Amino acid sequence: MSVLNETTKPGAWGPKEKEEWFARQTIQRSYEQDVVRRLKALPSDTLKLVQYGALSCDPKKYPLYYVRSAEWNDDNPTVLITGGVHGYEPSGIMGALRFLEEVAPQYTGKVNFVVYPCVSPLAYEINHRWNRRAEDPNRHFMQGTTVEESAKLMNSVESLGKHFKVAVDLHETNKRDIELTQERHARDGDKASPDDFIIPEGFYLCVPKQEDVALGHKIVEAVSKVTPICKDEKILGYPSNNGIIVLDDVPGLCQGFTRQLADVSMTTEIYPDKSPAREAQDAQLATVKRAIAFALKR
Ligand SMILES: [Zn+2]
């Protein structure tokens, strides 16, 4: 979880190595087919599709969208959901889409939703953690950031001018993290550590503040009905409280940004390699549903 430090360490990649990295990537799936098509098929009487920008590397191919409740009532609680901050973690993106298709209609008139289903669409297509410039958006949610996926999301969320009851950022921790962590070390001129090779088996939840752990326990209880919870005593080197870790020392996380605008925020982490893709998505949905129940004071 080290913060990237691109220029100061000897051996760290410069612009040339980053271009070489991108040249090695291949398009493995279609954002248009898998995501945009489904967003455009949502019922416009209940869900409003809004474009909040586009990636500068190919604005036509990578328009950025969020979906909000068409019927908005400021007296109702508002819930923020983000998926695809890491494009290679598909259960977050597919979970957000299934949420819009299957779950959101049940709450029309009761809860306001804002859903960003795929924050980093190029990364979705190349099946990687990084964007076009070999940057990890989920370390750059900070004021003045030059990472465009992060900056555009922050600008869009802030421009809504809303306060959120709860914010959920949908992620997963899959086996590729072992390989991608080594690539990150190469980029940053860092050395590998033994922790790099441990992938937590099961669901775990990251929260930005100790106060958010109480809701975390309810989320874990709900998710345990659909997928196993990680039982490790330590996760990513942090003490685990029944599958919940407090990440209050990692700058630039999406959950840290959204927490400034929300009563509670969290990041889901699902281990998808041992369970069917559908189960990982179900765990994302279980998290969101329990978070909505919290927003409705249930
Ligand atoms: Zn992630």
Side-chain angles (χ1 to χ4, degrees):
M1 302 301 281
S2 70
V3 184
L4 92 164
N5 189 351
E6 289 159 309
T7 50
T8 51
K9 286 191 185 161
W13 290 359
K16 180 172 165 281
E17 288 82 4
K18 289 178 185 175
E19 280 303 312
E20 287 167 358
W21 166 80
F22 185 67
R24 289 195 296 275
Q25 307 309 309
T26 54
I27 300 288
Q28 299 182 29
R29 48 199 179 191
S30 166
Y31 173 60
E32 162 66 30
Q33 286 293 310
D34 300 350
V35 180
V36 176
R37 222 167 36 131
R38 283 172 72 176
L39 290 175
K40 289 187 173 167
L42 292 169
S44 59
D45 55 331
T46 52
L47 295 167
K48 195 173 166 208
L49 182 64
V50 182
Q51 187 177 347
Y52 67 97
L55 295 188
S56 59
C57 62
D58 193 338
K60 263 192 141 158
K61 198 171 174 193
Y62 302 117
L64 299 166
Y65 292 106
Y66 71 84
V67 178
R68 57 177 285 173
S69 309
E71 189 183 320
W72 193 283
N73 182 345
D74 276 328
D75 293 334
N76 289 339
T78 301
V79 173
L80 174 65
I81 300 162
T82 44
V85 166
H86 284 145
Y88 76 120
E89 300 171 5
S91 71
I93 300 159
M94 298 305 144
L97 289 171
R98 280 185 56 201
F99 169 77
L100 290 164
E101 292 164 349
E102 299 169 22
V103 181
Q106 300 160 27
Y107 294 96
T108 301
K110 297 179 195 133
V111 179
N112 309 311
F113 295 111
V114 186
V115 181
Y116 293 79
C118 189
V119 174
S120 188
L122 168 74
Y124 173 74
E125 290 199 339
I126 63 173
N127 192 24
H128 204 287
R129 210 175 157 85
W130 295 345
N131 68 5
R132 173 67 182 80
R133 295 162 61 192
E135 299 159 324
D136 181 340
N138 209 28
R139 295 295 181 277
H140 290 275
F141 287 95
M142 42 183 78
Q143 293 306 320
T145 181
T146 55
V147 173
E148 71 175 334
E149 291 82 355
S150 315
K152 284 178 172 152
L153 178 74
M154 290 172 77
N155 287 340
S156 174
V157 172
E158 283 168 351
S159 73
L160 297 169
K162 303 293 182 193
H163 180 82
F164 303 98
K165 199 74 195 155
V166 56
V168 187
D169 191 26
L170 306 174
H171 285 249
E172 58 184 53
T173 303
N174 56 48
K175 277 209 184 100
R176 268 197 80 216
D177 274 10
I178 293 173
E179 171 197 336
L180 297 190
T181 299
Q182 299 315 305
E183 207 173 25
R184 171 166 59 85
H185 291 324
R187 179 195 67 185
D188 297 346
D190 287 335
K191 287 198 175 65
S193 98
D195 285 350
D196 296 346
F197 302 93
I198 302 167
I199 298 294
E201 294 201 11
F203 175 94
Y204 65 100
L205 194 72
C206 308
V207 294
K209 290 180 190 264
Q210 193 62 45
E211 301 96 273
D212 300 356
V213 171
L215 175 59
H217 285 303
K218 292 177 177 153
I219 301 276
V220 163
E221 188 194 358
V223 172
S224 70
K225 294 180 177 129
V226 289
T227 199
I229 307 298
C230 178
K231 299 209 180 331
D232 299 350
E233 280 179 17
K234 280 192 159 189
I235 299 174
L236 312 175
Y238 293 80
S240 167
N241 181 347
N242 192 30
I244 304 160
I245 57 171
V246 181
L247 287 185
D248 54 7
D249 61 346
V250 183
L253 296 179
C254 186
Q255 67 171 13
F257 159 65
T258 58
R259 185 60 165 81
Q260 297 166 30
L261 305 167
D263 290 351
V264 186
S265 76
M266 66 193 73
T267 307
T268 60
E269 295 288 353
I270 289 160
Y271 178 73
D273 295 284
K274 278 195 180 166
S275 41
R278 185 95 183 164
E279 185 176 310
Q281 295 169 19
D282 287 344
Q284 307 282 19
L285 289 176
T287 301
V288 174
K289 285 183 196 166
R290 189 62 191 85
I292 293 167
F294 162 78
L296 289 167
K297 298 195 176 69
R298 285 177 193 156

